[in-house]
Amino acid sequence: MEKVEGQNPQQEEDQVVNPWEVSAKDGGKIDYDKLIDKFGCQRLDQSFVDRVQRLTSRPPHVFLRRGVFFAHRDFNDILDAYERGQKFYLYTGRGPSSEALHLGHLIPFMFTKYLQDAFKVPLVIQLTDDEKCMWKNLSVEESQRLARENAKDIIACGFDISKTFIFSDFDYVGGAFYKNMVKVAKCVTYNKVVGIFGFTGEDHIGKVSFPPVQAVPSFPSSFPHLFSGKDDLRCLIPCAIDQDPYFRMTRDVAPRIGYHKPALIESLFFPALQGETGKMSASDPNSAIYVTDSAKDIKYKVNKHAFTGGQETIEKHRQYGANLEVDIPIKYLNFFLEDDAELEHIKKEYGAGRMLTGEVKKRLIEVLTEIVERHRRARAAVTDEMVDAFMAVRPLPNMFD
């Protein structure tokens, strides 16, 4: 059974995790085991990693190997169907609330690109410009502008245009998509939506009415230009675990309106430079590495702001070694350093005190600078015409090739 009733996030004692807030009591760490238990999803264990490698005949992505994507709902059903020769489609999204994305924002897209390439399946990407207009007090026009800017960063991740449809809600919602929204809305009571999302009497009705908009890209009939006659197609959603409430609701409703429950594969939060206290804050530019940061910015931020588990003096560090549990450079390398052997070597040497904090930070600066530079070059090559092409409502004739 889905845990759809949830608890009102406002009443949660120790941690709040929902699409708009991620925080732990007294600035502590998010307890992911508790979160899995509360949300009712499952852990992604090594058997899944091995199975994905076997089915796709390619090495599993670093985010899969290292448990960055750590939880799932019905991922096994997707793999069972795939093994029987039944394809699926991918659905992910972005709420465009700022011009520049930070590395945490790129994680679901980097992983989704791997899934698209490995399984050779189509992808729909939703830009929830309507949501940000309602939650962030942005004008409709500014939300739409930010959606197009963010689309350039998403396209720069390397998605295959012959298999990818990007849409903004303000442009696309209507027709078959809107019919599915109404079907979902009729199945979800006000009490249930308050239970799942924690809305209060002070929230405007736009917020209460939004969840169906994010729910229905999970249903193939919302995209008649792509999936006409394929109502049985399954959907896999890669996302951060804070988006889970939307899809608990969706999965509860899906069988009642004749669709498969969407499957999910969910990631940890990317920690702020200052430490693992939930998500990064867009209001503090020093809490994150942005894709617009220069090499100089990255060096400054890592050296000045990255919280470390190293000891306060070299003598103590040589004696006791670093506390890897709290060390942000190690956590960032866990996300972005491809070479497993090198990562293990760094952890071993640093944990034993033979490697100093400065050396680990230096390696991290190299890794991050390369990723950001590569992204910046790719984004510079994305033209307005390319954005229009990805967002054009069109069939994708070779989407399963």
PDB file of all heavy atoms in Angstrom, residues 55-90:
ATOM      1  N   LEU A  55      21.259  -5.479 -18.084  1.00  0.00           N
ATOM      2  CA  LEU A  55      20.230  -5.188 -19.095  1.00  0.00           C
ATOM      3  C   LEU A  55      20.695  -4.168 -20.136  1.00  0.00           C
ATOM      4  O   LEU A  55      20.231  -4.184 -21.274  1.00  0.00           O
ATOM      5  CB  LEU A  55      18.955  -4.663 -18.417  1.00  0.00           C
ATOM      6  CG  LEU A  55      18.113  -5.698 -17.661  1.00  0.00           C
ATOM      7  CD1 LEU A  55      16.958  -5.014 -16.940  1.00  0.00           C
ATOM      8  CD2 LEU A  55      17.583  -6.764 -18.603  1.00  0.00           C
ATOM      9  N   THR A  56      21.588  -3.253 -19.734  1.00  0.00           N
ATOM     10  CA  THR A  56      21.991  -2.168 -20.649  1.00  0.00           C
ATOM     11  C   THR A  56      23.354  -2.409 -21.284  1.00  0.00           C
ATOM     12  O   THR A  56      23.748  -1.664 -22.191  1.00  0.00           O
ATOM     13  CB  THR A  56      22.041  -0.819 -19.906  1.00  0.00           C
ATOM     14  OG1 THR A  56      23.017  -0.903 -18.847  1.00  0.00           O
ATOM     15  CG2 THR A  56      20.692  -0.443 -19.311  1.00  0.00           C
ATOM     16  N   SER A  57      24.076  -3.410 -20.778  1.00  0.00           N
ATOM     17  CA  SER A  57      25.431  -3.714 -21.284  1.00  0.00           C
ATOM     18  C   SER A  57      26.346  -2.497 -21.236  1.00  0.00           C
ATOM     19  O   SER A  57      27.144  -2.272 -22.142  1.00  0.00           O
ATOM     20  CB  SER A  57      25.368  -4.253 -22.728  1.00  0.00           C
ATOM     21  OG  SER A  57      24.521  -5.357 -22.789  1.00  0.00           O
ATOM     22  N   ARG A  58      26.178  -1.687 -20.194  1.00  0.00           N
ATOM     23  CA  ARG A  58      27.131  -0.582 -20.000  1.00  0.00           C
ATOM     24  C   ARG A  58      27.335  -0.368 -18.506  1.00  0.00           C
ATOM     25  O   ARG A  58      26.483  -0.745 -17.708  1.00  0.00           O
ATOM     26  CB  ARG A  58      26.657   0.699 -20.692  1.00  0.00           C
ATOM     27  CG  ARG A  58      25.364   1.293 -20.196  1.00  0.00           C
ATOM     28  CD  ARG A  58      25.171   2.696 -20.772  1.00  0.00           C
ATOM     29  NE  ARG A  58      24.922   2.668 -22.211  1.00  0.00           N
ATOM     30  CZ  ARG A  58      25.035   3.747 -22.994  1.00  0.00           C
ATOM     31  NH1 ARG A  58      25.368   4.911 -22.483  1.00  0.00           N
ATOM     32  NH2 ARG A  58      24.774   3.678 -24.289  1.00  0.00           N
ATOM     33  N   PRO A  59      28.481   0.225 -18.135  1.00  0.00           N
ATOM     34  CA  PRO A  59      28.754   0.397 -16.700  1.00  0.00           C
ATOM     35  C   PRO A  59      27.683   1.263 -16.041  1.00  0.00           C
ATOM     36  O   PRO A  59      27.218   2.230 -16.656  1.00  0.00           O
ATOM     37  CB  PRO A  59      30.116   1.112 -16.661  1.00  0.00           C
ATOM     38  CG  PRO A  59      30.670   1.023 -18.039  1.00  0.00           C
ATOM     39  CD  PRO A  59      29.544   0.786 -18.982  1.00  0.00           C
ATOM     40  N   PRO A  60      27.263   0.926 -14.828  1.00  0.00           N
ATOM     41  CA  PRO A  60      26.262   1.752 -14.154  1.00  0.00           C
ATOM     42  C   PRO A  60      26.816   3.151 -13.871  1.00  0.00           C
ATOM     43  O   PRO A  60      28.016   3.311 -13.610  1.00  0.00           O
ATOM     44  CB  PRO A  60      25.959   1.000 -12.862  1.00  0.00           C
ATOM     45  CG  PRO A  60      27.040   0.014 -12.689  1.00  0.00           C
ATOM     46  CD  PRO A  60      27.669  -0.234 -14.015  1.00  0.00           C
ATOM     47  N   HIS A  61      25.953   4.132 -13.938  1.00  0.00           N
ATOM     48  CA  HIS A  61      26.356   5.523 -13.688  1.00  0.00           C
ATOM     49  C   HIS A  61      26.919   5.658 -12.277  1.00  0.00           C
ATOM     50  O   HIS A  61      26.503   4.956 -11.353  1.00  0.00           O
ATOM     51  CB  HIS A  61      25.134   6.427 -13.859  1.00  0.00           C
ATOM     52  CG  HIS A  61      25.469   7.888 -13.936  1.00  0.00           C
ATOM     53  ND1 HIS A  61      25.687   8.660 -12.830  1.00  0.00           N
ATOM     54  CD2 HIS A  61      25.615   8.714 -15.005  1.00  0.00           C
ATOM     55  CE1 HIS A  61      25.950   9.911 -13.205  1.00  0.00           C
ATOM     56  NE2 HIS A  61      25.911   9.967 -14.521  1.00  0.00           N
ATOM     57  N   VAL A  62      27.836   6.571 -12.116  1.00  0.00           N
ATOM     58  CA  VAL A  62      28.451   6.814 -10.806  1.00  0.00           C
ATOM     59  C   VAL A  62      27.383   7.103  -9.744  1.00  0.00           C
ATOM     60  O   VAL A  62      27.504   6.677  -8.593  1.00  0.00           O
ATOM     61  CB  VAL A  62      29.501   7.966 -10.909  1.00  0.00           C
ATOM     62  CG1 VAL A  62      28.870   9.289 -11.263  1.00  0.00           C
ATOM     63  CG2 VAL A  62      30.303   8.103  -9.630  1.00  0.00           C
ATOM     64  N   PHE A  63      26.298   7.783 -10.103  1.00  0.00           N
ATOM     65  CA  PHE A  63      25.231   8.082  -9.132  1.00  0.00           C
ATOM     66  C   PHE A  63      24.497   6.815  -8.689  1.00  0.00           C
ATOM     67  O   PHE A  63      23.942   6.759  -7.598  1.00  0.00           O
ATOM     68  CB  PHE A  63      24.199   9.061  -9.712  1.00  0.00           C
ATOM     69  CG  PHE A  63      24.731  10.440 -10.004  1.00  0.00           C
ATOM     70  CD1 PHE A  63      24.023  11.298 -10.848  1.00  0.00           C
ATOM     71  CD2 PHE A  63      25.910  10.902  -9.441  1.00  0.00           C
ATOM     72  CE1 PHE A  63      24.498  12.580 -11.121  1.00  0.00           C
ATOM     73  CE2 PHE A  63      26.390  12.177  -9.712  1.00  0.00           C
ATOM     74  CZ  PHE A  63      25.678  13.015 -10.555  1.00  0.00           C
ATOM     75  N   LEU A  64      24.497   5.806  -9.551  1.00  0.00           N
ATOM     76  CA  LEU A  64      23.873   4.530  -9.208  1.00  0.00           C
ATOM     77  C   LEU A  64      24.834   3.683  -8.380  1.00  0.00           C
ATOM     78  O   LEU A  64      24.468   3.122  -7.342  1.00  0.00           O
ATOM     79  CB  LEU A  64      23.489   3.800 -10.501  1.00  0.00           C
ATOM     80  CG  LEU A  64      22.396   2.745 -10.461  1.00  0.00           C
ATOM     81  CD1 LEU A  64      21.121   3.277  -9.830  1.00  0.00           C
ATOM     82  CD2 LEU A  64      22.118   2.226 -11.859  1.00  0.00           C
ATOM     83  N   ARG A  65      26.095   3.641  -8.826  1.00  0.00           N
ATOM     84  CA  ARG A  65      27.116   2.841  -8.118  1.00  0.00           C
ATOM     85  C   ARG A  65      27.306   3.295  -6.684  1.00  0.00           C
ATOM     86  O   ARG A  65      27.565   2.494  -5.800  1.00  0.00           O
ATOM     87  CB  ARG A  65      28.480   2.979  -8.813  1.00  0.00           C
ATOM     88  CG  ARG A  65      28.573   2.479 -10.211  1.00  0.00           C
ATOM     89  CD  ARG A  65      30.027   2.207 -10.600  1.00  0.00           C
ATOM     90  NE  ARG A  65      30.957   3.304 -10.475  1.00  0.00           N
ATOM     91  CZ  ARG A  65      31.232   4.188 -11.422  1.00  0.00           C
ATOM     92  NH1 ARG A  65      30.586   4.140 -12.573  1.00  0.00           N
ATOM     93  NH2 ARG A  65      32.136   5.139 -11.236  1.00  0.00           N
ATOM     94  N   ARG A  66      27.216   4.598  -6.463  1.00  0.00           N
ATOM     95  CA  ARG A  66      27.586   5.138  -5.143  1.00  0.00           C
ATOM     96  C   ARG A  66      26.387   5.527  -4.287  1.00  0.00           C
ATOM     97  O   ARG A  66      26.535   6.214  -3.282  1.00  0.00           O
ATOM     98  CB  ARG A  66      28.503   6.357  -5.339  1.00  0.00           C
ATOM     99  CG  ARG A  66      29.768   5.975  -6.102  1.00  0.00           C
ATOM    100  CD  ARG A  66      30.926   6.875  -5.812  1.00  0.00           C
ATOM    101  NE  ARG A  66      32.040   6.535  -6.679  1.00  0.00           N
ATOM    102  CZ  ARG A  66      32.724   7.415  -7.399  1.00  0.00           C
ATOM    103  NH1 ARG A  66      32.410   8.705  -7.347  1.00  0.00           N
ATOM    104  NH2 ARG A  66      33.720   7.026  -8.162  1.00  0.00           N
ATOM    105  N   GLY A  67      25.211   5.099  -4.702  1.00  0.00           N
ATOM    106  CA  GLY A  67      24.041   5.324  -3.848  1.00  0.00           C
ATOM    107  C   GLY A  67      23.553   6.752  -3.803  1.00  0.00           C
ATOM    108  O   GLY A  67      22.877   7.146  -2.842  1.00  0.00           O
ATOM    109  N   VAL A  68      23.886   7.565  -4.810  1.00  0.00           N
ATOM    110  CA  VAL A  68      23.319   8.926  -4.875  1.00  0.00           C
ATOM    111  C   VAL A  68      21.821   8.796  -5.162  1.00  0.00           C
ATOM    112  O   VAL A  68      20.989   9.434  -4.523  1.00  0.00           O
ATOM    113  CB  VAL A  68      24.028   9.775  -5.953  1.00  0.00           C
ATOM    114  CG1 VAL A  68      23.299  11.095  -6.176  1.00  0.00           C
ATOM    115  CG2 VAL A  68      25.487  10.022  -5.559  1.00  0.00           C
ATOM    116  N   PHE A  69      21.493   7.924  -6.148  1.00  0.00           N
ATOM    117  CA  PHE A  69      20.095   7.514  -6.307  1.00  0.00           C
ATOM    118  C   PHE A  69      19.934   6.269  -5.447  1.00  0.00           C
ATOM    119  O   PHE A  69      20.514   5.227  -5.730  1.00  0.00           O
ATOM    120  CB  PHE A  69      19.766   7.273  -7.785  1.00  0.00           C
ATOM    121  CG  PHE A  69      19.457   8.565  -8.492  1.00  0.00           C
ATOM    122  CD1 PHE A  69      20.479   9.419  -8.893  1.00  0.00           C
ATOM    123  CD2 PHE A  69      18.150   8.971  -8.719  1.00  0.00           C
ATOM    124  CE1 PHE A  69      20.200  10.633  -9.502  1.00  0.00           C
ATOM    125  CE2 PHE A  69      17.853  10.184  -9.325  1.00  0.00           C
ATOM    126  CZ  PHE A  69      18.875  11.023  -9.724  1.00  0.00           C
ATOM    127  N   PHE A  70      19.186   6.414  -4.360  1.00  0.00           N
ATOM    128  CA  PHE A  70      19.246   5.426  -3.271  1.00  0.00           C
ATOM    129  C   PHE A  70      17.899   4.789  -2.946  1.00  0.00           C
ATOM    130  O   PHE A  70      17.826   3.833  -2.176  1.00  0.00           O
ATOM    131  CB  PHE A  70      19.793   6.106  -2.005  1.00  0.00           C
ATOM    132  CG  PHE A  70      18.786   7.007  -1.336  1.00  0.00           C
ATOM    133  CD1 PHE A  70      18.165   6.625  -0.153  1.00  0.00           C
ATOM    134  CD2 PHE A  70      18.433   8.226  -1.901  1.00  0.00           C
ATOM    135  CE1 PHE A  70      17.217   7.436   0.448  1.00  0.00           C
ATOM    136  CE2 PHE A  70      17.489   9.047  -1.301  1.00  0.00           C
ATOM    137  CZ  PHE A  70      16.877   8.651  -0.129  1.00  0.00           C
ATOM    138  N   ALA A  71      16.817   5.338  -3.502  1.00  0.00           N
ATOM    139  CA  ALA A  71      15.491   4.823  -3.164  1.00  0.00           C
ATOM    140  C   ALA A  71      14.663   4.700  -4.441  1.00  0.00           C
ATOM    141  O   ALA A  71      14.968   5.328  -5.453  1.00  0.00           O
ATOM    142  CB  ALA A  71      14.801   5.752  -2.170  1.00  0.00           C
ATOM    143  N   HIS A  72      13.614   3.879  -4.361  1.00  0.00           N
ATOM    144  CA  HIS A  72      12.794   3.706  -5.568  1.00  0.00           C
ATOM    145  C   HIS A  72      11.387   3.292  -5.195  1.00  0.00           C
ATOM    146  O   HIS A  72      11.101   2.881  -4.053  1.00  0.00           O
ATOM    147  CB  HIS A  72      13.417   2.640  -6.487  1.00  0.00           C
ATOM    148  CG  HIS A  72      13.206   1.238  -6.008  1.00  0.00           C
ATOM    149  ND1 HIS A  72      12.233   0.407  -6.525  1.00  0.00           N
ATOM    150  CD2 HIS A  72      13.828   0.509  -5.039  1.00  0.00           C
ATOM    151  CE1 HIS A  72      12.274  -0.765  -5.913  1.00  0.00           C
ATOM    152  NE2 HIS A  72      13.231  -0.731  -5.004  1.00  0.00           N
ATOM    153  N   ARG A  73      10.509   3.395  -6.171  1.00  0.00           N
ATOM    154  CA  ARG A  73       9.176   2.791  -6.121  1.00  0.00           C
ATOM    155  C   ARG A  73       8.991   2.034  -7.433  1.00  0.00           C
ATOM    156  O   ARG A  73       9.034   2.649  -8.508  1.00  0.00           O
ATOM    157  CB  ARG A  73       8.083   3.863  -6.001  1.00  0.00           C
ATOM    158  CG  ARG A  73       8.095   4.621  -4.680  1.00  0.00           C
ATOM    159  CD  ARG A  73       7.009   5.687  -4.692  1.00  0.00           C
ATOM    160  NE  ARG A  73       7.009   6.485  -3.491  1.00  0.00           N
ATOM    161  CZ  ARG A  73       6.376   6.172  -2.352  1.00  0.00           C
ATOM    162  NH1 ARG A  73       5.681   5.046  -2.281  1.00  0.00           N
ATOM    163  NH2 ARG A  73       6.427   6.964  -1.316  1.00  0.00           N
ATOM    164  N   ASP A  74       8.831   0.738  -7.341  1.00  0.00           N
ATOM    165  CA  ASP A  74       8.516  -0.124  -8.494  1.00  0.00           C
ATOM    166  C   ASP A  74       9.543  -0.080  -9.625  1.00  0.00           C
ATOM    167  O   ASP A  74       9.203  -0.361 -10.782  1.00  0.00           O
ATOM    168  CB  ASP A  74       7.131   0.236  -9.078  1.00  0.00           C
ATOM    169  CG  ASP A  74       5.995  -0.143  -8.140  1.00  0.00           C
ATOM    170  OD1 ASP A  74       6.251  -0.869  -7.163  1.00  0.00           O
ATOM    171  OD2 ASP A  74       4.853   0.288  -8.400  1.00  0.00           O
ATOM    172  N   PHE A  75      10.782   0.264  -9.326  1.00  0.00           N
ATOM    173  CA  PHE A  75      11.809   0.230 -10.378  1.00  0.00           C
ATOM    174  C   PHE A  75      11.957  -1.196 -10.913  1.00  0.00           C
ATOM    175  O   PHE A  75      12.208  -1.413 -12.101  1.00  0.00           O
ATOM    176  CB  PHE A  75      13.140   0.771  -9.822  1.00  0.00           C
ATOM    177  CG  PHE A  75      14.234   0.934 -10.851  1.00  0.00           C
ATOM    178  CD1 PHE A  75      13.963   1.442 -12.116  1.00  0.00           C
ATOM    179  CD2 PHE A  75      15.554   0.600 -10.544  1.00  0.00           C
ATOM    180  CE1 PHE A  75      14.981   1.601 -13.067  1.00  0.00           C
ATOM    181  CE2 PHE A  75      16.572   0.760 -11.480  1.00  0.00           C
ATOM    182  CZ  PHE A  75      16.279   1.256 -12.747  1.00  0.00           C
ATOM    183  N   ASN A  76      11.746  -2.182 -10.017  1.00  0.00           N
ATOM    184  CA  ASN A  76      11.829  -3.588 -10.435  1.00  0.00           C
ATOM    185  C   ASN A  76      10.771  -3.906 -11.512  1.00  0.00           C
ATOM    186  O   ASN A  76      11.041  -4.674 -12.443  1.00  0.00           O
ATOM    187  CB  ASN A  76      11.682  -4.528  -9.227  1.00  0.00           C
ATOM    188  CG  ASN A  76      10.568  -4.108  -8.295  1.00  0.00           C
ATOM    189  OD1 ASN A  76      10.416  -2.920  -8.005  1.00  0.00           O
ATOM    190  ND2 ASN A  76       9.783  -5.047  -7.808  1.00  0.00           N
ATOM    191  N   ASP A  77       9.586  -3.300 -11.401  1.00  0.00           N
ATOM    192  CA  ASP A  77       8.542  -3.536 -12.422  1.00  0.00           C
ATOM    193  C   ASP A  77       8.973  -3.005 -13.784  1.00  0.00           C
ATOM    194  O   ASP A  77       8.713  -3.620 -14.821  1.00  0.00           O
ATOM    195  CB  ASP A  77       7.225  -2.858 -12.014  1.00  0.00           C
ATOM    196  CG  ASP A  77       6.571  -3.547 -10.823  1.00  0.00           C
ATOM    197  OD1 ASP A  77       7.077  -4.602 -10.394  1.00  0.00           O
ATOM    198  OD2 ASP A  77       5.560  -3.024 -10.319  1.00  0.00           O
ATOM    199  N   ILE A  78       9.620  -1.835 -13.783  1.00  0.00           N
ATOM    200  CA  ILE A  78      10.130  -1.242 -15.035  1.00  0.00           C
ATOM    201  C   ILE A  78      11.156  -2.189 -15.668  1.00  0.00           C
ATOM    202  O   ILE A  78      11.125  -2.450 -16.874  1.00  0.00           O
ATOM    203  CB  ILE A  78      10.783   0.136 -14.756  1.00  0.00           C
ATOM    204  CG1 ILE A  78       9.717   1.173 -14.391  1.00  0.00           C
ATOM    205  CG2 ILE A  78      11.651   0.602 -15.926  1.00  0.00           C
ATOM    206  CD1 ILE A  78       9.017   1.836 -15.553  1.00  0.00           C
ATOM    207  N   LEU A  79      12.073  -2.715 -14.822  1.00  0.00           N
ATOM    208  CA  LEU A  79      13.131  -3.592 -15.339  1.00  0.00           C
ATOM    209  C   LEU A  79      12.548  -4.939 -15.802  1.00  0.00           C
ATOM    210  O   LEU A  79      12.986  -5.483 -16.814  1.00  0.00           O
ATOM    211  CB  LEU A  79      14.218  -3.798 -14.278  1.00  0.00           C
ATOM    212  CG  LEU A  79      14.978  -2.528 -13.861  1.00  0.00           C
ATOM    213  CD1 LEU A  79      15.996  -2.864 -12.770  1.00  0.00           C
ATOM    214  CD2 LEU A  79      15.667  -1.865 -15.038  1.00  0.00           C
ATOM    215  N   ASP A  80      11.545  -5.455 -15.065  1.00  0.00           N
ATOM    216  CA  ASP A  80      10.879  -6.705 -15.487  1.00  0.00           C
ATOM    217  C   ASP A  80      10.256  -6.522 -16.870  1.00  0.00           C
ATOM    218  O   ASP A  80      10.412  -7.372 -17.752  1.00  0.00           O
ATOM    219  CB  ASP A  80       9.770  -7.098 -14.497  1.00  0.00           C
ATOM    220  CG  ASP A  80      10.321  -7.582 -13.161  1.00  0.00           C
ATOM    221  OD1 ASP A  80      11.540  -7.842 -13.078  1.00  0.00           O
ATOM    222  OD2 ASP A  80       9.532  -7.684 -12.196  1.00  0.00           O
ATOM    223  N   ALA A  81       9.529  -5.405 -17.048  1.00  0.00           N
ATOM    224  CA  ALA A  81       8.853  -5.138 -18.323  1.00  0.00           C
ATOM    225  C   ALA A  81       9.884  -4.958 -19.440  1.00  0.00           C
ATOM    226  O   ALA A  81       9.717  -5.485 -20.544  1.00  0.00           O
ATOM    227  CB  ALA A  81       7.975  -3.891 -18.197  1.00  0.00           C
ATOM    228  N   TYR A  82      10.966  -4.244 -19.118  1.00  0.00           N
ATOM    229  CA  TYR A  82      12.021  -4.002 -20.112  1.00  0.00           C
ATOM    230  C   TYR A  82      12.642  -5.328 -20.560  1.00  0.00           C
ATOM    231  O   TYR A  82      12.918  -5.543 -21.735  1.00  0.00           O
ATOM    232  CB  TYR A  82      13.083  -3.072 -19.516  1.00  0.00           C
ATOM    233  CG  TYR A  82      14.154  -2.646 -20.498  1.00  0.00           C
ATOM    234  CD1 TYR A  82      13.918  -1.605 -21.401  1.00  0.00           C
ATOM    235  CD2 TYR A  82      15.391  -3.270 -20.525  1.00  0.00           C
ATOM    236  CE1 TYR A  82      14.894  -1.204 -22.299  1.00  0.00           C
ATOM    237  CE2 TYR A  82      16.376  -2.880 -21.424  1.00  0.00           C
ATOM    238  CZ  TYR A  82      16.120  -1.841 -22.310  1.00  0.00           C
ATOM    239  OH  TYR A  82      17.082  -1.451 -23.204  1.00  0.00           O
ATOM    240  N   GLU A  83      12.815  -6.215 -19.595  1.00  0.00           N
ATOM    241  CA  GLU A  83      13.403  -7.527 -19.904  1.00  0.00           C
ATOM    242  C   GLU A  83      12.477  -8.344 -20.814  1.00  0.00           C
ATOM    243  O   GLU A  83      12.929  -9.157 -21.613  1.00  0.00           O
ATOM    244  CB  GLU A  83      13.678  -8.283 -18.593  1.00  0.00           C
ATOM    245  CG  GLU A  83      14.743  -9.336 -18.737  1.00  0.00           C
ATOM    246  CD  GLU A  83      15.477  -9.649 -17.435  1.00  0.00           C
ATOM    247  OE1 GLU A  83      15.048  -9.203 -16.351  1.00  0.00           O
ATOM    248  OE2 GLU A  83      16.489 -10.359 -17.524  1.00  0.00           O
ATOM    249  N   ARG A  84      11.169  -8.086 -20.697  1.00  0.00           N
ATOM    250  CA  ARG A  84      10.199  -8.762 -21.570  1.00  0.00           C
ATOM    251  C   ARG A  84      10.056  -8.062 -22.923  1.00  0.00           C
ATOM    252  O   ARG A  84       9.199  -8.426 -23.729  1.00  0.00           O
ATOM    253  CB  ARG A  84       8.818  -8.802 -20.896  1.00  0.00           C
ATOM    254  CG  ARG A  84       8.736  -9.669 -19.657  1.00  0.00           C
ATOM    255  CD  ARG A  84       7.301  -9.891 -19.228  1.00  0.00           C
ATOM    256  NE  ARG A  84       6.582  -8.654 -18.931  1.00  0.00           N
ATOM    257  CZ  ARG A  84       6.506  -8.104 -17.714  1.00  0.00           C
ATOM    258  NH1 ARG A  84       7.107  -8.679 -16.683  1.00  0.00           N
ATOM    259  NH2 ARG A  84       5.837  -6.988 -17.527  1.00  0.00           N
ATOM    260  N   GLY A  85      10.874  -7.025 -23.147  1.00  0.00           N
ATOM    261  CA  GLY A  85      10.822  -6.322 -24.429  1.00  0.00           C
ATOM    262  C   GLY A  85       9.873  -5.144 -24.458  1.00  0.00           C
ATOM    263  O   GLY A  85       9.598  -4.571 -25.519  1.00  0.00           O
ATOM    264  N   GLN A  86       9.347  -4.750 -23.278  1.00  0.00           N
ATOM    265  CA  GLN A  86       8.432  -3.603 -23.217  1.00  0.00           C
ATOM    266  C   GLN A  86       9.221  -2.354 -22.811  1.00  0.00           C
ATOM    267  O   GLN A  86       9.835  -2.336 -21.747  1.00  0.00           O
ATOM    268  CB  GLN A  86       7.310  -3.863 -22.205  1.00  0.00           C
ATOM    269  CG  GLN A  86       6.425  -5.031 -22.566  1.00  0.00           C
ATOM    270  CD  GLN A  86       5.518  -5.451 -21.414  1.00  0.00           C
ATOM    271  OE1 GLN A  86       5.414  -4.772 -20.398  1.00  0.00           O
ATOM    272  NE2 GLN A  86       4.866  -6.591 -21.563  1.00  0.00           N
ATOM    273  N   LYS A  87       9.191  -1.340 -23.652  1.00  0.00           N
ATOM    274  CA  LYS A  87       9.909  -0.099 -23.344  1.00  0.00           C
ATOM    275  C   LYS A  87       9.094   0.753 -22.362  1.00  0.00           C
ATOM    276  O   LYS A  87       7.952   0.425 -22.015  1.00  0.00           O
ATOM    277  CB  LYS A  87      10.176   0.685 -24.639  1.00  0.00           C
ATOM    278  CG  LYS A  87      11.183   0.010 -25.567  1.00  0.00           C
ATOM    279  CD  LYS A  87      12.609   0.118 -25.036  1.00  0.00           C
ATOM    280  CE  LYS A  87      13.614  -0.530 -25.968  1.00  0.00           C
ATOM    281  NZ  LYS A  87      14.456   0.391 -26.681  1.00  0.00           N
ATOM    282  N   PHE A  88       9.669   1.848 -21.931  1.00  0.00           N
ATOM    283  CA  PHE A  88       9.011   2.794 -21.027  1.00  0.00           C
ATOM    284  C   PHE A  88       9.425   4.182 -21.455  1.00  0.00           C
ATOM    285  O   PHE A  88      10.185   4.337 -22.410  1.00  0.00           O
ATOM    286  CB  PHE A  88       9.406   2.508 -19.571  1.00  0.00           C
ATOM    287  CG  PHE A  88      10.897   2.573 -19.308  1.00  0.00           C
ATOM    288  CD1 PHE A  88      11.501   3.751 -18.881  1.00  0.00           C
ATOM    289  CD2 PHE A  88      11.698   1.445 -19.491  1.00  0.00           C
ATOM    290  CE1 PHE A  88      12.874   3.807 -18.648  1.00  0.00           C
ATOM    291  CE2 PHE A  88      13.077   1.495 -19.255  1.00  0.00           C
ATOM    292  CZ  PHE A  88      13.666   2.677 -18.836  1.00  0.00           C
ATOM    293  N   TYR A  89       8.895   5.195 -20.802  1.00  0.00           N
ATOM    294  CA  TYR A  89       9.412   6.541 -21.057  1.00  0.00           C
ATOM    295  C   TYR A  89       9.832   7.187 -19.742  1.00  0.00           C
ATOM    296  O   TYR A  89       9.394   6.763 -18.660  1.00  0.00           O
ATOM    297  CB  TYR A  89       8.412   7.407 -21.829  1.00  0.00           C
ATOM    298  CG  TYR A  89       7.217   7.928 -21.051  1.00  0.00           C
ATOM    299  CD1 TYR A  89       7.181   9.231 -20.538  1.00  0.00           C
ATOM    300  CD2 TYR A  89       6.084   7.137 -20.866  1.00  0.00           C
ATOM    301  CE1 TYR A  89       6.066   9.715 -19.858  1.00  0.00           C
ATOM    302  CE2 TYR A  89       4.962   7.617 -20.199  1.00  0.00           C
ATOM    303  CZ  TYR A  89       4.967   8.904 -19.686  1.00  0.00           C
ATOM    304  OH  TYR A  89       3.861   9.384 -19.014  1.00  0.00           O
ATOM    305  N   LEU A  90      10.705   8.155 -19.841  1.00  0.00           N
ATOM    306  CA  LEU A  90      11.226   8.881 -18.684  1.00  0.00           C
ATOM    307  C   LEU A  90      10.508  10.220 -18.553  1.00  0.00           C
ATOM    308  O   LEU A  90      10.152  10.857 -19.553  1.00  0.00           O
ATOM    309  CB  LEU A  90      12.725   9.155 -18.855  1.00  0.00           C
ATOM    310  CG  LEU A  90      13.651   7.941 -18.845  1.00  0.00           C
ATOM    311  CD1 LEU A  90      14.989   8.285 -19.484  1.00  0.00           C
ATOM    312  CD2 LEU A  90      13.862   7.438 -17.418  1.00  0.00           C
TER     313      LEU A  90
END
